[in-house]
Amino acid sequence: MTIRLAIAGAAGRMGRTLIAAARDQNDLTVVGGSEAPDGLARSGELGLTLSEDAGAAASEADVWIDFTSPLVTLSALDALTLTPVRAAIIGTTGFSAEEDDAISKHAERIAIVKAGNFSLGVNLMNALIEQAAQRLGADWDIEIHEAHHRHKADAPSGTALMMGDAAARGRGSPLADLRLPPADGITGPRKSGGIGFSVTRAGGIVGDHTAAFASDAEVLSISHRALDRSIFARGAIEAARWAVERPPGLYSMRDVLSL
Ligand code: NAD
């Protein structure tokens, strides 16, 4: 069976990466793409008909893949109700709690896989972090360090927060209860059982993440380094293949990878 994909924000950094990755696969075909009015002129360069209207872009698609921005994604999900799309893969980050609720509503109708990071490596790493946090007691400090290029606007990164969530899950508490304030000035001793975050912003680093588990006598570090955006596209494509066969529901990459 050939799976027909429609790509939201097709001319964006992730949109272009997704189109290239999908065209390498024999079982996938890209049948449409959406863009903002400014991006429509890139249709020729992408070799794809682009539309401002998500419903038109998805009119012949089985799966919608969306790495855009929260309002764009939510309005596309509304438009998909009149299309044959039966699964949506959402990589957009930065949704509010209310927007997350709206996505859950759509997941009563179609299968949705949503993840703040689609890389197989990061999702596998998070499963290992959860396992380690479960196994190692509160006398092991957990510190999550991330490094990104000098242009990145937010800190800690969404991926670092996913890692913190995984560690907190392993310790059986919400991250909000375990998260330590940023270290600066006279901090006093570290609070036992807390999860700390430290951040580097420098040069052109694509994305480095490490969770360190430190006792008095040893340090276990679990690390991931992103070298290329294609890792996110490959994960999203894997999610598309998985989700197209699934009943409606809200899924994560942990489900896709059976972690
Ligand atoms: P980008 O700005 O390069 O691409 C977004 C595209 O959406 C642009 O081409 C823009 O013109 C288009 N767009 C804007 N309004 C639109 C509309 N109304 N209809 C259709 N298209 C519209 O951004 P990017 O670097 O590709 O990242 C996009 C999102 O994906 C961000 O939220 C980013 O954080 C997220 N992201 C997630 C992962 C992950 O693994 N989950 C990985 C990378 C990026």
Side-chain angles (χ1 to χ4, degrees):
M1 180 185 94
T2 300
I3 303 171
R4 302 168 303 167
L5 305 179
I7 312 287
R13 278 178 290 249
M14 278 307 301
R16 279 177 281 127
T17 312
L18 283 157
I19 292 169
R23 283 181 174 156
D24 272 352
Q25 307 292 315
N26 292 330
D27 61 331
L28 305 175
T29 174
V30 182
V31 294
S34 71
E35 251 308 332
D38 290 356
L40 292 177
R42 317 265 312 261
S43 179
E45 169 197 328
L46 295 172
L48 186 67
T49 304
L50 298 178
S51 172
E52 268 184 81
D53 173 358
S59 62
E60 293 177 1
D62 304 305
V63 181
W64 178 254
I65 305 189
D66 197 318
F67 285 66
T68 56
S69 59
L71 290 179
V72 172
T73 303
L74 285 169
S75 120
L77 286 173
D78 287 336
L80 294 182
T81 50
L82 299 173
T83 70
V85 164
R86 47 187 201 278
I89 311 305
I90 300 181
T92 303
T93 55
F95 292 103
S96 66
E98 292 74 28
E99 290 167 338
D100 275 335
D101 288 345
I103 291 174
S104 300
K105 273 268 167 235
H106 284 286
E108 291 170 9
R109 192 178 51 76
I110 54 173
I112 295 183
V113 181
K114 178 171 174 285
N117 191 309
F118 271 91
S119 113
L120 303 189
V122 159
N123 283 280
L124 183 56
M125 172 175 72
N126 286 342
L128 296 173
I129 289 172
E130 181 175 346
Q131 216 181 328
Q134 203 168 15
R135 212 38 221 283
L136 305 173
D139 53 327
W140 290 70
D141 297 324
I142 303 179
E143 184 72 15
I144 293 167
H145 177 257
E146 58 103 338
H148 280 91
H149 53 84
R150 62 167 78 90
H151 304 291
K152 187 165 175 58
D154 55 318
S157 68
T159 302
L161 292 171
M162 280 172 78
M163 295 163 71
D165 272 330
R169 250 194 325 274
R171 292 231 155 135
S173 298
L175 177 59
D177 292 354
L178 300 182
R179 185 171 175 175
L180 298 176
D184 190 16
I186 312 291
T187 59
R190 187 183 171 110
K191 193 174 152 209
S192 169
I195 299 175
F197 290 85
S198 51
V199 172
T200 296
R201 292 286 172 265
I205 301 168
V206 176
D208 292 349
H209 292 88
T210 296
F213 294 79
S215 76
D216 284 337
E218 54 186 325
V219 177
L220 165 67
S221 294
I222 304 175
S223 296
H224 180 270
R225 169 168 287 190
L227 304 177
D228 192 302
R229 303 183 83 80
S230 64
I231 58 175
F232 309 123
R234 276 202 292 274
I237 282 173
E238 204 49 49
R241 286 193 180 104
W242 182 89
V244 75
E245 306 292 347
R246 290 295 176 296
L250 184 58
Y251 303 99
S252 71
M253 279 305 274
R254 291 164 73 204
D255 300 309
V256 175
L257 301 171
S258 306
L259 295 173

XYZ file of all heavy atoms in Angstrom, residues 8-16 34-39 42 51-54 64 66-70 72 75 90-94 115-119 229 231-233, ligand 1:
344
model
N 2.339 20.052 6.004
C 2.040 21.443 6.380
C 3.340 22.250 6.390
O 4.400 21.712 6.702
C 1.411 21.464 7.771
N 3.253 23.527 6.056
C 4.454 24.380 6.079
C 5.546 23.782 5.216
O 6.712 23.708 5.603
N 5.145 23.359 3.998
C 6.023 22.538 3.145
C 7.333 23.222 2.768
O 8.327 22.546 2.488
C 5.266 22.115 1.888
N 7.345 24.567 2.758
C 8.574 25.266 2.358
C 9.461 25.608 3.555
O 10.536 26.191 3.391
C 8.222 26.545 1.586
N 9.031 25.242 4.765
C 9.826 25.531 5.971
C 11.009 24.576 6.097
O 11.167 23.654 5.287
N 11.828 24.795 7.137
C 13.018 23.944 7.330
C 12.616 22.485 7.477
O 13.147 21.603 6.791
C 13.791 24.393 8.583
C 14.695 25.564 8.342
C 15.369 25.970 9.633
N 14.388 26.565 10.530
C 14.364 27.860 10.866
N 15.291 28.659 10.425
N 13.434 28.330 11.657
N 11.641 22.210 8.357
C 11.217 20.815 8.531
C 10.384 20.336 7.346
O 10.487 19.179 6.947
C 10.435 20.651 9.844
C 11.303 20.494 11.074
S 12.526 19.167 10.932
C 11.482 17.749 10.652
N 9.553 21.215 6.786
C 8.734 20.827 5.631
C 9.597 20.310 4.497
O 9.362 19.220 3.953
N 10.646 21.067 4.163
C 11.534 20.660 3.057
C 12.252 19.351 3.398
O 12.414 18.453 2.565
C 12.550 21.765 2.760
C 11.953 22.876 1.897
C 12.923 24.003 1.647
N 13.004 24.881 2.802
C 14.119 25.242 3.432
N 15.276 24.795 3.025
N 14.074 26.055 4.467
N 0.832 22.543 2.382
C 0.243 23.851 2.684
C 1.363 24.847 2.920
O 2.477 24.467 3.301
C -0.655 23.767 3.923
O 0.130 23.600 5.081
N 1.078 26.092 2.668
C 2.035 27.170 2.974
C 1.272 28.460 3.258
O 0.112 28.608 2.893
C 3.043 27.386 1.833
C 4.462 26.935 2.140
C 5.058 27.494 3.448
O 4.668 28.592 3.876
O 5.911 26.837 4.054
N 1.948 29.370 3.938
C 1.431 30.720 4.124
C 1.498 31.427 2.764
O 2.256 30.981 1.883
C 2.300 31.440 5.143
N 0.752 32.506 2.563
C 0.774 33.189 1.255
C 2.198 33.467 0.766
O 2.507 33.238 -0.411
C 0.007 34.486 1.535
C -0.940 34.129 2.654
C -0.242 33.094 3.488
N 3.090 33.881 1.672
C 4.486 34.178 1.300
C 5.220 32.964 0.725
O 6.145 33.115 -0.073
C 5.320 34.565 2.541
C 4.905 35.898 3.078
O 4.044 36.521 2.437
O 5.452 36.291 4.140
N 4.843 31.769 1.192
C 5.579 30.557 0.812
C 5.059 29.895 -0.453
O 5.703 29.000 -1.008
N 7.063 29.004 -3.642
C 8.109 27.977 -3.622
C 7.632 26.654 -4.220
O 8.378 25.670 -4.216
C 8.584 27.735 -2.170
C 8.784 28.985 -1.359
C 10.198 29.495 -1.354
N 11.220 28.521 -1.091
C 11.797 28.342 0.094
N 11.408 29.047 1.128
N 12.753 27.469 0.231
N -0.976 24.914 -1.238
C -2.214 25.667 -1.050
C -2.188 26.338 0.316
O -1.611 25.811 1.257
C -3.396 24.694 -1.148
O -4.568 25.363 -0.791
N -2.851 27.481 0.397
C -3.022 28.155 1.690
C -4.025 27.396 2.546
O -4.075 27.556 3.750
C -3.665 29.526 1.440
C -2.743 30.665 1.251
C -3.583 31.926 1.126
O -3.996 32.450 2.171
O -3.819 32.350 -0.011
N -4.867 26.614 1.849
C -5.993 25.951 2.497
C -5.587 24.505 2.849
O -5.367 23.683 1.958
C -7.152 25.994 1.474
C -8.353 25.198 1.935
O -8.296 24.593 3.015
O -9.337 25.171 1.175
N -5.497 24.229 4.154
C -5.056 22.895 4.580
C -5.998 21.815 4.053
O -5.558 20.720 3.689
C -4.979 22.832 6.102
N -1.476 13.557 7.534
C -1.085 14.975 7.571
C 0.139 15.086 8.482
O 0.109 14.599 9.615
C -2.246 15.777 8.151
C -2.033 17.250 8.314
C -1.822 17.917 9.482
C -2.061 18.244 7.280
N -1.717 19.267 9.242
C -1.856 19.492 7.896
C -2.231 18.195 5.894
C -1.809 20.682 7.187
C -2.192 19.381 5.189
C -1.979 20.602 5.819
N 2.641 17.815 10.310
C 2.581 19.243 10.597
C 3.696 19.674 11.556
O 3.679 19.344 12.742
C 1.201 19.542 11.205
C 0.859 21.020 11.177
O 1.744 21.839 11.462
O -0.305 21.336 10.864
N 4.684 20.394 11.012
C 5.724 21.040 11.823
C 5.634 22.528 11.474
O 6.328 23.010 10.580
C 7.126 20.531 11.458
C 7.469 19.148 11.970
C 6.806 18.028 11.516
C 8.502 18.973 12.890
C 7.146 16.748 11.959
C 8.857 17.703 13.348
C 8.168 16.590 12.882
N 4.712 23.254 12.113
C 4.541 24.677 11.790
C 4.549 25.493 13.076
O 5.607 25.639 13.698
C 3.246 24.900 10.974
O 2.121 24.370 11.688
C 3.324 24.254 9.605
N 3.388 26.017 13.458
C 3.268 26.751 14.726
C 1.888 26.440 15.297
O 0.997 25.996 14.553
C 3.466 28.251 14.494
O 2.502 28.702 13.584
N 1.689 26.650 16.610
C 0.464 26.144 17.240
C -0.840 26.555 16.553
O -1.683 25.693 16.262
C 0.573 26.695 18.665
C 2.051 26.703 18.923
C 2.660 27.143 17.618
N -1.417 27.577 13.494
C -1.490 27.005 12.140
C -1.893 25.527 12.236
O -2.767 25.044 11.507
C -0.131 27.172 11.407
C -0.121 26.429 10.080
C 0.178 28.651 11.192
N -5.645 25.154 13.290
C -6.613 25.466 12.235
C -6.585 24.381 11.158
O -7.628 24.020 10.596
C -6.372 26.904 11.736
O -6.075 26.932 10.412
N 2.135 15.402 14.548
C 2.328 16.805 14.952
C 3.683 16.980 15.630
O 3.935 16.457 16.723
C 1.194 17.255 15.891
C -0.141 17.134 15.160
C 1.426 18.693 16.356
C -1.336 17.558 15.965
N 4.562 17.751 14.962
C 5.884 18.044 15.522
C 5.986 19.461 16.037
O 6.961 19.811 16.707
N 4.985 20.280 15.717
C 4.966 21.672 16.208
C 5.140 21.678 17.723
O 4.592 20.815 18.415
C 3.600 22.303 15.841
O 3.434 22.199 14.432
C 3.521 23.747 16.288
N 5.899 22.649 18.241
C 6.080 22.756 19.698
C 5.471 24.066 20.188
O 5.145 24.950 19.394
C 7.577 22.702 20.076
O 8.261 23.729 19.349
C 8.185 21.361 19.739
N 5.321 24.172 21.518
C 4.889 25.436 22.121
C 3.388 25.575 22.307
O 2.886 26.693 22.439
N 4.748 14.774 19.321
C 6.001 14.639 20.082
C 6.811 15.929 19.970
O 6.863 16.544 18.904
C 6.822 13.469 19.543
N 7.419 16.315 21.065
C 8.289 17.495 21.065
C 9.624 17.192 20.396
O 10.378 18.104 20.044
N 9.923 15.905 20.235
C 11.141 15.518 19.524
C 10.875 14.164 18.863
O 10.536 13.203 19.550
C 12.323 15.428 20.499
C 13.637 15.301 19.753
O 13.768 14.445 18.881
N 14.595 16.143 20.079
N 11.006 14.107 17.532
C 10.694 12.877 16.783
C 11.921 12.015 16.537
O 11.829 11.000 15.867
C 10.027 13.216 15.448
C 8.528 13.306 15.573
C 7.913 14.507 15.862
C 7.734 12.181 15.456
C 6.538 14.593 16.011
C 6.355 12.246 15.597
C 5.756 13.460 15.877
N 13.083 12.443 17.046
C 14.265 11.635 16.759
C 14.180 10.309 17.516
O 13.787 10.265 18.683
C 15.535 12.409 17.121
O 16.190 11.819 18.196
N 18.790 17.709 10.787
C 17.335 17.737 10.997
C 16.646 16.487 10.431
O 15.481 16.232 10.730
C 16.720 18.961 10.316
C 17.293 20.270 10.749
C 16.571 21.418 10.084
N 15.361 21.754 10.797
C 15.340 22.477 11.887
N 16.434 22.943 12.415
N 14.194 22.732 12.485
N 16.919 13.596 11.204
C 16.538 12.626 12.250
C 15.077 12.833 12.669
O 14.380 11.878 12.979
C 17.456 12.685 13.503
C 17.469 14.065 14.146
C 18.860 12.238 13.145
C 18.259 14.131 15.455
N 14.614 14.092 12.668
C 13.222 14.362 13.054
C 12.282 13.882 11.947
O 11.206 13.348 12.216
C 13.020 15.863 13.297
C 14.037 16.456 14.244
C 14.838 17.519 13.855
C 14.197 15.941 15.521
C 15.780 18.061 14.723
C 15.138 16.473 16.392
C 15.937 17.526 15.983
N 12.690 14.104 10.695
C 11.851 13.687 9.562
C 11.724 12.164 9.533
O 10.640 11.626 9.306
C 12.453 14.199 8.258
P 10.032 27.060 9.809
O 9.694 28.447 10.227
O 11.260 26.835 8.984
O 8.767 26.405 9.016
C 7.429 26.685 9.287
C 6.720 26.851 7.949
O 5.315 27.023 8.182
C 7.189 28.098 7.169
O 7.568 27.756 5.850
C 5.939 28.998 7.156
O 5.836 29.801 5.980
C 4.837 27.957 7.212
N 3.545 28.534 7.593
C 3.300 29.666 8.317
N 1.964 29.911 8.345
C 1.375 28.907 7.641
C 0.034 28.605 7.308
N -0.978 29.378 7.730
N -0.220 27.500 6.564
C 0.776 26.702 6.136
N 2.094 26.951 6.400
C 2.370 28.029 7.156
O 10.108 26.227 11.165
P 10.782 24.800 11.416
O 12.192 24.969 11.857
O 10.485 23.902 10.275
O 9.967 24.322 12.712
C 8.567 24.243 12.693
C 8.054 23.704 14.034
O 8.546 22.379 14.229
C 8.499 24.494 15.268
O 7.435 24.500 16.205
C 9.676 23.680 15.816
O 9.895 23.863 17.193
C 9.162 22.300 15.514
N 10.201 21.246 15.451
C 9.890 20.081 16.060
C 10.741 19.011 15.981
C 10.313 17.711 16.603
O 11.046 16.706 16.490
N 9.121 17.657 17.207
C 11.950 19.115 15.285
C 12.250 20.322 14.649
C 11.357 21.387 14.731
